[in-house]
Amino acid sequence: MKNNILNRRQFLTKTGKAGIALATMPLVTKFMPTSPLYSAYEFTQQPLPYAYNALEPYIDAMTMEIHYTKHAATYAKNLGDACLAEKVDIGNTSLYSLLGSISKYTPKMRNNAGGHYNHELFWQIMKPSPSIAPSGALADAINKSFGSFADFQKAFGEAAKARFGSGWAWLLVKSDGSLAVSSTPNQDNPLMDVAEIKGFPLLGLDVWEHAYYLKYQNKRPDYINAWWNIVNWELVQKRYAEAIAK
Ligand code: MN
């Protein structure tokens, strides 16, 4: 996923909204992308970066195919419909800014803008045969925030297991640059102004049953444990570096 990240001052300058008090701006504006071409691109479903069976045995091919072609494709389509109905010009609106002011829109917009963003991120932050742990600045930050990588995995896994019903677990960077683990219901995410813990998501795990039920049935913890084998830490590290660079 492309991430041209912009700090708050640059955003205000570029958008001509410098008169708005900084304190009233959503925290996530510091992470907003710059390219106008990015906006239309980010509202449409992008090609899956690997084959449906590429993440086996951890995620089976049928789950991947249904998840990508049915569930995620529907979020993208319904997001387009909601943008038309609610007069959001996707050529001139960043998905980040939409998510950052999602409380102003309908539940349909909230569910599908979140659903689309979350799944586009999810496909990217997985890959076959990745490094099994982060390194560099992200590894240092994880150790500082959570004690160790194992302690981080435990906290993240607990958030994923404890999410009642459908939702997501997240590793995010807060506006002060620190890391946090959270979970959100339904298709909410930390970029939303309604999120309990706001920030820039580095890593997200889909814990809706549609993400794991064919292979794992009711055993969500087994899915969570298996998922660590396919986390694309190289990309997560890159997202972290971009998030803290500003
Ligand atoms: Mn899903």
Side-chain angles (χ1 to χ4, degrees):
M1 179 173 290
K2 186 175 172 188
N3 279 301
N4 292 321
I5 292 169
L6 188 64
N7 73 22
R8 186 173 295 181
R9 184 176 300 277
Q10 288 169 324
F11 168 71
L12 291 169
T13 303
K14 283 177 188 292
T15 57
K17 291 179 181 169
I20 298 174
L22 287 178
T24 67
M25 295 300 293
L27 295 175
V28 296
T29 54
K30 68 184 284 192
F31 301 120
M32 288 170 76
T34 55
S35 166
L37 293 176
Y38 186 82
S39 56
Y41 160 89
E42 68 182 351
F43 279 77
T44 55
Q45 190 179 37
Q46 301 302 305
L48 194 67
Y50 35 73
Y52 296 131
N53 66 358
L55 303 180
E56 288 193 343
Y58 310 109
I59 298 181
D60 60 287
M62 182 171 284
T63 294
M64 280 301 299
E65 182 167 359
I66 296 170
H67 201 175
Y68 178 81
T69 66
K70 306 297 183 193
H71 296 279
T74 301
Y75 293 121
K77 180 194 175 295
N78 289 346
L79 171 59
D81 293 348
C83 287
L84 272 177
E86 298 177 45
K87 305 202 175 353
V88 172
D89 176 4
I90 64 169
N92 288 297
T93 304
S94 152
L95 186 52
Y96 285 78
S97 65
L98 180 65
L99 293 167
S101 57
I102 204 70
S103 61
K104 296 175 185 166
Y105 296 91
T106 62
K108 178 174 180 175
M109 184 72 86
R110 177 173 169 174
N111 292 335
N112 291 290
H116 175 63
Y117 178 88
N118 296 348
H119 287 87
E120 289 293 304
L121 175 61
F122 189 52
W123 313 134
Q124 297 291 331
I125 53 89
M126 297 188 291
K127 68 180 281 195
S129 308
S131 311
I132 56 160
S135 58
L138 177 60
D140 293 344
I142 285 174
N143 290 339
K144 191 177 165 196
S145 295
F146 302 100
S148 68
F149 181 60
D151 288 332
F152 154 70
Q153 285 182 300
K154 187 162 179 253
F156 187 96
E158 288 302 319
K161 278 182 267 188
R163 169 49 54 194
F164 182 77
S166 299
W168 291 73
W170 304 99
L171 171 64
L172 61 135
V173 186
K174 295 196 289 188
S175 60
D176 64 2
S178 66
L179 297 180
V181 159
S182 75
S183 81
T184 54
N186 304 314
Q187 293 295 353
D188 286 0
N189 67 43
L191 293 165
M192 292 182 172
D193 58 356
V194 295
E196 194 178 335
I197 303 178
K198 296 179 191 58
F200 182 73
L202 301 178
L203 182 64
L205 174 59
D206 189 342
V207 294
W208 284 57
E209 285 187 344
H210 70 225
Y212 63 87
Y213 204 85
L214 290 179
K215 183 176 175 70
Y216 296 95
Q217 296 85 45
N218 60 316
K219 299 183 285 290
R220 186 191 285 185
D222 290 357
Y223 160 68
I224 296 166
N225 290 336
W227 182 72
W228 293 116
N229 291 289
I230 45 173
V231 173
N232 182 354
W233 286 111
E234 292 87 347
L235 180 66
V236 179
Q237 285 162 200
K238 187 161 170 277
R239 293 175 68 82
Y240 176 67
E242 289 178 350
I244 61 165
K246 302 297 182 183

